[in-house]
Amino acid sequence: MIKSKYNWLYEPPTEYINETLIKKYQLTPIIKKLLESKSITDDESIKALLDETIINHDPWLLSDMEKAVTRINEAIDKNERILVYGDYDADGVTSTTILVKTLQTLGAEVGWYIPNRFSEGYGPNELAFRNAYDEGVSLIITVDNGIQGHKEIEMVQKLGVDVIVTDHHEIGHTLPEAYAIVHPMHPEYEYPFHFLCGAGVAYKLSQVLLDNPPNYFVSLAAIGTIADLVSMTDENRSIVKQGLSFLNQSCPIQIKALLNQAGYNDTINEETVGFIIGPRLNAVGRLEDASLAAELLMTEDEEEAEFLAEQVEHFNVERKEIVAQITDEALAIAEEKVNNGNQFLLLAKENWHEGVLGIVASKIVETYALPTLILNIDLEQNHAKGSARSIEQVSMFEILSAHQDLISKFGGHHMAAGMTMEIDYIEALEQGLNDWMFKLSEHTSLEPTKHVSVKLEENDISINNIRDIQRLSPFGTDFEKPLLEIDDNEVVDVRAIGKDKNHLKLVTGQLQLQSIFWKNGQLATQIEPGQPINLLGNLQINEWNGNQSPQFIIQDIATNNEQILDYRSKRKQLNIDPNDTKVAFLIHPKKEKLNHNYYYYGDKIDQEHEVVILRDLPNDLDSLKDSLKNLNYSQLYLVLQHQQSIYFDGMPTSNQFKSCFKALMTKKETNLEQEGMLLCQHLNVKPNILKFMLKVFYELGFVTEENGIIKIVDNANKQNIETSRVYQLRQSRMEVEKLLLYDDFTQLKTWIKSQKG
């Protein structure tokens, strides 16, 4: 049995789409199921989702928009110097680009500044603001930041510099005393949609300033929206749909250069942005100064765009290498802590690059499904700084707030946070976080959960249905890609693929559905053709040589039945930790028990084990039966190591025993070294069979042996050959080998299952 990594939670819909609407919108069964799973069942909601109607709320409804626009136009008319102050992530550089290009179009004297993640941190920086004042800037416009910059904004405004804040982050208890605050969640205004990203807010400001901004701007807003993981609903959904449409119709030179460097030349969708464009724009700010990414997005020269994109790609490659290295180190530490029972993983080490710790934390959460905090220890500064990622059941903001006395500075939300703390408090914080988790676990299940959208039947899987699912895109936060469950699909073929065989490929069911499970190639050894399997994941269309076929991208996998896996071949290597308490090893009585989870055949096994390995070939079937009788397991591996096999040599016949004894009697004494081969030829047996017969004779008292000389015992008691213990052991060993080594595997599995009490 392969246990699923996640709890698959399927909640049948409580509302259904009526027949009138099904006919009106020509909803296929798969679309109907998906809409119902998202509680989109009324006319207005279905129309808003399926129609191409653009949602473009009046930008003048945003807080302080009139005041901000008036001040910007005044600055342009008076040739005042304007500074756009941005942020170092993908949302920050796209919003910076939108506003800078907007102001340049209007003829403004505008510059831009993106703070350094490491030396300045997020948000308004006092030194940067003072430098702007010293350089003659009289208007600062923040994008994707500023709402928490109370102190810095107050300082620079006292110097005579007006600050317009455009932001989308959570508003605190008080607002900064800026000249104007353009924010979709401003408490004194009622903008119809609260969840624009920074680039979305910049785009709305651009709409007012330019009346009709170029398509490139909505494309940048779409990139910022997807990369910042804001809600993929309402106006954001429209921004993304428009932006992706323009990117595909006429891809701007800046984005085209980025994709060229990534080797991507296919359709641009939300996944292209999420996995290719966004990470590359983020990579620069994670390692160095994010200005390079903004320069790329602002250039109008195709050759320069290619040059800058090449540098961005270099940073992305470096970022991947750093992430891989730190992840390997962090996983090793995490495994030890998990084995020690930790429920919150605080992982800290020197010389971990702070810019990628959020990515690493996400990978640790993905592996262990536990909230994780990754810290870089800086001995010179005597502090640790890093990022945290959480699970659905745990608010990272809440748990860190409960230990704020140990933390110098932190900020975040339910699923993520960033923080700085003194090194001396790390151990106390780790203990406190784990105590908090332990109390939570007493009344809240921490089991990781995936929410299933629809349970599919095999006949639901078709190219047309996959295209129907794609009609609902773009997918994202609050409108996730449908997670589909397929149960009891029989495995037709299974193998590990890829250069290092680290990916799993399955073919299942009568439709021969091709499925891929990335980074899970090790499961190929645990799955066999013919067994039913449950899959959780997403459907997509696979194109190869002009042919299209359905493909399932697996996110989780499970089998309901106990598995008996054949590892008797020397070609199959079983890599299981001998100290893993979930594993029981059954071994030969003459072998050494290496740990408490090692048992001899016939031993009583009181402890529960998920995996049982028949490591050695048993002496007899009775001891194996005793072990199997009350054994509970998910997976049983048949390794059955042995030095040599006797099955095909067989058992000497009674006539061969008689002929052998008669030949020995003829001479009274036989020198085995000199005459052994002649005796083998006479009897037509192999030397090992002759040795076996002589052992039987010796045990029954028919012969004696001294220095290789075999002598007949006169007047020996008559006994049946089959009463010999040596004879019986060989007979038992042959039964063991026949069943466990040479019988049909299907019959062997049936026999093993039949032994359970």
Side-chain angles (χ1 to χ4, degrees), residues 133-388:
Y133 166 73
D134 291 341
E135 292 173 7
V137 170
S138 56
L139 176 61
I140 296 175
I141 309 174
T142 70
V143 288
D144 193 33
N145 75 95
I147 201 64
Q148 297 294 340
H150 297 62
K151 177 184 172 184
E152 295 82 2
I153 291 171
E154 182 183 8
M155 177 277 299
V156 80
Q157 291 215 146
K158 283 181 179 178
L159 294 175
V161 179
D162 289 331
V163 178
I164 296 173
V165 171
T166 76
D167 200 356
H168 73 112
H169 292 96
E170 290 287 340
I171 296 174
H173 297 300
T174 60
L175 292 166
E177 294 183 6
Y179 182 89
I181 297 175
V182 182
H183 196 297
M185 289 187 283
H186 196 293
E188 296 174 15
Y189 291 78
E190 293 186 4
Y191 188 70
F193 183 63
H194 285 180
F195 305 111
L196 294 170
C197 68
V201 177
Y203 178 62
K204 300 305 290 185
L205 178 56
S206 176
Q207 283 183 328
V208 173
L209 291 169
L210 294 180
D211 291 330
N212 189 24
N215 293 339
Y216 181 43
F217 290 6
V218 73
S219 299
L220 291 175
I223 291 170
T225 299
I226 296 167
D228 218 48
L229 302 177
V230 291
S231 180
M232 190 64 74
T233 57
D234 200 89
E235 188 168 21
N236 281 345
R237 185 174 177 82
S238 281
I239 287 172
V240 170
K241 290 187 82 166
Q242 291 177 79
L244 292 176
S245 175
F246 292 135
L247 286 173
N248 283 292
Q249 288 172 19
S250 180
C251 190
I253 59 169
Q254 304 88 344
I255 306 304
K256 185 182 290 185
L258 203 62
L259 294 175
N260 286 343
Q261 289 296 321
Y264 186 86
N265 58 4
D266 207 342
T267 302
I268 301 171
N269 57 29
E270 68 271 29
E271 292 186 349
T272 314
V273 176
F275 295 107
I276 297 177
I277 298 173
R280 282 163 172 78
L281 294 176
N282 278 322
V284 186
R286 289 188 182 279
L287 301 186
E288 295 288 347
D289 189 331
S291 299
L292 173 65
E295 288 173 14
L296 167 62
L297 296 180
M298 289 185 200
T299 186
E300 300 291 342
D301 183 83
E302 188 171 348
E303 189 173 328
E304 184 182 22
E306 289 292 342
F307 172 73
L308 293 171
E310 186 177 354
Q311 294 181 64
V312 169
E313 184 65 23
H314 169 77
F315 278 110
N316 189 56
V317 171
E318 185 180 356
R319 186 265 308 170
K320 287 182 180 178
E321 292 171 352
I322 293 171
V323 167
Q325 178 188 339
I326 297 176
T327 300
D328 287 344
E329 295 174 6
L331 282 170
I333 302 172
E335 184 175 1
E336 184 178 345
K337 290 182 181 290
V338 169
N339 291 337
N340 289 334
N342 287 33
Q343 292 182 303
F344 190 109
L345 299 178
L346 192 160
L347 314 175
K349 191 175 179 182
E350 290 180 69
N351 300 319
W352 277 353
H353 199 297
E354 294 171 10
V356 301
L357 296 186
I359 301 174
V360 177
S362 295
K363 290 180 180 293
I364 302 298
V365 173
E366 185 180 327
T367 303
Y368 292 106
L370 293 172
T372 300
L373 170 60
I374 310 280
L375 294 172
N376 173 57
I377 294 176
D378 188 334
L379 292 176
E380 287 187 11
Q381 301 291 328
N382 192 37
H383 72 215
K385 188 176 180 181
S387 296

Side-chain angles (χ1 to χ4, degrees), residues 51-96:
D51 281 7
E52 296 299 322
T53 306
I54 294 173
I55 299 174
N56 183 25
H57 298 306
D58 184 355
W60 289 104
L61 296 176
L62 279 163
S63 62
D64 287 349
M65 180 62 85
E66 185 173 354
K67 191 175 181 182
V69 170
T70 301
R71 180 66 184 89
I72 290 170
N73 285 328
E74 178 186 332
I76 294 171
D77 291 342
K78 294 181 177 179
N79 291 320
E80 295 180 51
R81 299 192 69 180
I82 303 173
L83 177 71
V84 175
Y85 187 93
D87 186 30
Y88 40 70
D89 66 0
D91 189 21
V93 295
T94 51
S95 54
T96 300

Side-chain angles (χ1 to χ4, degrees), residues 577 579-584 597 607-612 635:
D577 183 358
N579 298 315
D580 189 341
T581 56
K582 297 177 182 176
V583 181
N597 57 333
Q607 190 177 346
E608 289 249 349
H609 297 279
E610 291 182 13
V611 176
V612 175
Q635 294 175 323

